[in-house]
Amino acid sequence: MSSSGPRPGTVERAFEAALYADTDAALDTGASLLAADPAADPELTRRGEEFVAAAWRRGWQPADVVRVVRRELDPVHVQLTAALILGESHEPRGARWTVQLEELKAEPRPPRADRFSYATAVLELYRLLLRLPAIEPLEVPWQGPAAAGTGDSRMLTRIRALLAKAEATGFPEEAEALSAKAQELMARHSIDEALLAARTHAKDAPGACRIGVEPPYETAKAVLLDAVAGANRCRAVWNEAFCFSTVVGFEPDLEAVELLYTSLLVQATAAMTKAEAAQRAGGRKRTKTFRQSFLAAYAHRIGDRLASAAEGQVTAAEGDLLPVLAARDVAVADHADRMFPRTVTTRLRGVDDAAGWHEGAAAADRAQVQDRRRLP
């Protein structure tokens, strides 16, 4: 008499029915099994946390996973993802990871729904998590005492506050003054950190972070981010499929790139909306081509301005700073080449609206970007 093995549990049978097939019928079968067995809920959650942990091993971080879920699925799936990540993440993985977890705590809890709807949403989410491919892992940059101190935190808080006011004000002169001060603080922070590391022979190495580059008009946004990264002695590599760019650089410069890119994107969007309203008032209706050309021109002109500012910074540098900056440039380039040994160049397409290009270039000229202060 032959004996069979133990019968698979409810979760395993639901996974076998739903996770490896893309049909709605398979999804309904799996959801029905889970809905009929409330006792399977703890195991279902545990398996979801395992999927999340597997994503970490494949190079993903919390913000990356949430970004993909938000783009591919619905708000309830984002809320389920946040709950899984917060339930799984017990080991500290660096300051950026901690910040991402703190941001997830603001996500609302998943709404109470009937068991079948809940099980369906969970299986849809697990299908996505299961299929996440391996991506380049991010190395956490070493942070010395200065980076971990309260002075650094106060500096970044002040920079964020200045940029937030610059984006909110309706007065160009006030925005210019606020943004100029923020840029001055960014430059001072970055240079001070570089000189301190050199003089104390601190273990200082570049790291990387990911910044979302979301559609629409993502190519122009990626070009803008690349320009901001280059001006701040960083390298940016765009992953079009997953809507993010990986920025490689030293920690103070990564902070500057994140803050400045976000601020310029806000300024560009506000200026584009205003220019588009004026165009519509004149009887124009081609919104998409206008916006594409506007953002492309904005990115192009901002790139020129930031490149000029960066060149002025190097020209103004004296004494021990020049070899320090040169060594950091080499370290960033080597780190980026190791992470991305094969890259291709992407070209902007569909930029054929003269009015959009003109307005975007004008908006870039008005954007609050100033050269870094000359060192004493």
Side-chain angles (χ1 to χ4, degrees), residues 46-91:
R46 186 187 68 80
R47 295 294 294 273
E49 292 176 359
E50 288 179 354
F51 285 134
V52 167
W56 308 155
R57 292 191 294 272
R58 294 197 293 269
W60 295 78
Q61 294 199 350
D64 307 324
V65 173
V66 171
R67 188 183 303 115
V68 170
V69 173
R70 194 184 304 277
R71 186 175 69 252
E72 298 293 335
L73 299 174
D74 297 320
V76 65
H77 300 94
V78 176
Q79 294 157 11
L80 289 169
T81 304
L84 286 176
I85 292 173
L86 292 173
E88 185 279 336
S89 297
H90 304 296
E91 299 179 2

Side-chain angles (χ1 to χ4, degrees), residues 161-169 174-176 178-179 263 267 368:
L162 288 169
L163 290 175
K165 291 180 181 179
E167 294 155 17
T169 182
E174 182 183 10
E176 181 175 358
L178 291 167
S179 297
S263 181
Q267 293 186 49
Q368 309 309 322

Side-chain angles (χ1 to χ4, degrees), residues 180-364:
K181 182 62 177 177
Q183 188 70 21
E184 176 185 325
L185 293 178
M186 288 179 191
R188 186 186 309 164
H189 181 50
S190 175
I191 290 171
D192 287 349
E193 288 292 312
L195 288 175
L196 177 64
R199 290 168 180 168
T200 60
H201 303 287
K203 181 184 176 183
D204 198 14
C209 68
R210 296 192 185 103
I211 299 177
V213 182
E214 299 287 350
Y217 319 115
E218 58 270 27
T219 306
K221 293 176 183 177
V223 172
L224 173 61
L225 178 54
D226 182 73
V228 175
N232 286 278
R233 320 193 78 83
C234 297
R235 294 267 297 271
V237 178
W238 181 36
N239 186 320
E240 182 177 6
F242 292 112
C243 299
F244 63 73
S245 284
T246 302
V247 182
V248 181
F250 286 84
E251 184 60 26
D253 302 323
L254 294 177
E255 291 278 5
V257 171
E258 288 183 294
L259 294 172
L260 185 56
Y261 169 72
T262 302
S263 181
L264 289 174
L265 193 57
V266 169
Q267 293 186 49
T269 302
M272 180 178 67
T273 302
K274 184 177 180 180
E276 183 182 45
Q279 291 286 318
R280 284 190 168 186
R284 179 190 176 87
K285 297 181 179 180
R286 291 198 303 161
T287 300
K288 183 175 181 180
T289 55
F290 177 86
R291 289 187 172 190
Q292 175 81 356
S293 298
F294 182 102
L295 289 175
Y298 185 91
H300 178 75
R301 185 64 63 87
I302 282 291
D304 289 343
R305 293 185 63 192
L306 293 176
S308 176
E311 183 179 352
Q313 174 193 348
V314 174
T315 302
E318 297 175 354
D320 297 335
L321 183 59
L322 275 177
V324 170
L325 293 181
R328 288 168 86 88
D329 287 345
V330 171
V332 169
D334 288 346
H335 192 85
D337 290 341
R338 287 197 304 271
M339 285 187 69
F340 304 98
R342 292 183 297 275
T343 59
V344 297
T345 301
T346 299
R347 298 183 63 183
L348 278 167
R349 293 181 174 83
V351 181
D352 53 8
D353 189 303
W357 183 273
H358 172 77
E359 292 289 347

Side-chain angles (χ1 to χ4, degrees), residues 124-147:
E124 287 171 335
L125 173 60
Y126 290 5
R127 275 180 173 180
L128 178 61
L129 296 179
L130 184 66
R131 290 164 171 75
L132 289 178
I135 58 177
E136 298 80 9
L138 300 183
E139 293 184 20
V140 179
W142 183 85
Q143 295 181 324

